[in-house]
Amino acid sequence: MDTNQIAYTANERAPAVPQWLNKGDNAWQMTASTLVGIQSMPGLVILYASIVKKKWAVNSAFMALYAFAAVLICWVLVCYRMAFGDELLPFWGKGAPALGQKYLVIRARVPESRHRVTTDSYETTEPFFPMASLVYFQFTFAAITLILLAGSVLGRMNIKAWMAFVPLWLIFSYTVGAFSLWGGGFLYHWGVIDYSGGYVIHLSSGIAGLTAAYWVGPRLKSDRERFPPNNVLLMLAGAGLLWMGWSGFNGGAPYAANIDSSIAVLNTNVCAATSLLVWTSLDVVFFGKPSVIGAVQGMMTGLVCITPGAGLVQPWAAIVMGMLSGSIPWVSMMILHKKCSWLQQVDDTLGVFHTHAVAGLLGGLLTGLLAEPDLCRLILPRETRGAVYGGNGGVQFVKQIVAALFVIAWNVASTTIILLVIRLFIPLRMPDNQLEIGDDAVHGEEAYALWGDGEKYDPTKHGWHTSSYSEVTAPSRFVDGARGVTISL
């Protein structure tokens, strides 16, 4: 009996390894899922807890932790199939549980899937791993979207309102974008490109975050004027988990351990590094010193910008995208934000609008310009090319603009309606007496035992139960050097 016969016989005797299962693809998909999950838990949990003012460390971390858990349960109960199930409306799938054994062990399938996987003998649009792997992979994307959105409302949103907002926004906003662009909805059929979430995740979270910040209201004036990070080094640890996890974010998008996955991982890291260097250089030129927080901002905008085209552009194009993502969001944050009175009125705590909405829109438009035809053939089901490659590339660029307008409009409308409904039952913003105190008032817990510069905790001076609380020193927007700009991620 030769080796092939032995392998075939072994598979016949092992129901857990059906003939259609590719162990390498399945292993990579579960690895990519874990990498994306780590971006949120503990990546953004650590980053949020560290980048905010000391009195908000626990609350900020908990908002991310809660969202991660709540999204998972809603996802398997109804939301996965609203985003990747059978069509209910041109922009929405039919909600149903993704919990049954018979559903989860079958070969993964996305109706009208955008993915093309080629073998020696045939071509298929179905991945070579079980539905369970796909359900979990897509959950990690949904979870990080809500956690990114949370960055806009840190330091004042009522935690009970947040607990209600997470499942409602997942159902009525995220699933619409995911189905429209990835699950076989009208934008997919029209040929819009969103390789791994520039629109579905980043543009959505940035626009919804800004909208939520408007309706929730601002932080205390003192918090807005000064909002120093309580642990810059730990912030870098969270940022590092985010960067390294992005290899799974974009590398898992082809649903296979294939050539396109490798291109996507390389482009992701090249763009992020370029963007970081450009952002830091601009900081040095205009403010005279390199900012660690600015470097993290540049890293983030590079990762966001490359996402909609990670496996579809050449590495030289990734460098171009990195140069633009390190400069255009920098201008929008450092210059335009100061000149726009409306943006200054809306208290976007971590500047999610700039680092995600602006960078995500930029990435989607640049993908419409720079998508390389041969790379597009590796994964997209139809002939696609960016505008710089001629042909129908100009039309592709227009499609990217129209899709962005749809995502923006839907997120503004859905986020507004959800928050106005919640406001009928739960205040969106914490009362001022809680805002003055922070974690101790909201959770009865605090992140650090020491207060101020080595001052020991004294219950007669500190805590929500006293009237002499003096921790409120800090104006909200962290002023970095001469910049006077919101810390943004």
Side-chain angles (χ1 to χ4, degrees), residues 312-355:
L312 306 176
V313 301
Q314 298 186 65
W316 66 261
I319 292 177
V320 172
M321 293 174 78
M323 294 172 66
L324 293 174
S325 65
S327 55
I328 293 177
W330 186 93
V331 170
S332 78
M333 183 182 299
M334 304 299 180
I335 299 175
L336 298 182
H337 185 95
K338 293 180 179 180
K339 295 183 177 181
C340 178
S341 59
W342 187 82
L343 282 176
Q344 289 185 323
Q345 291 173 11
V346 179
D347 183 15
D348 180 358
T349 307
L350 299 185
V352 178
F353 171 75
H354 299 288
T355 53

Side-chain angles (χ1 to χ4, degrees), residues 275-293:
S275 183
L276 184 155
L277 296 175
V278 169
W279 192 293
T280 300
S281 298
L282 290 171
D283 278 351
V284 171
V285 170
F286 285 90
F287 304 120
K289 61 181 70 173
S291 165
V292 174
I293 294 170

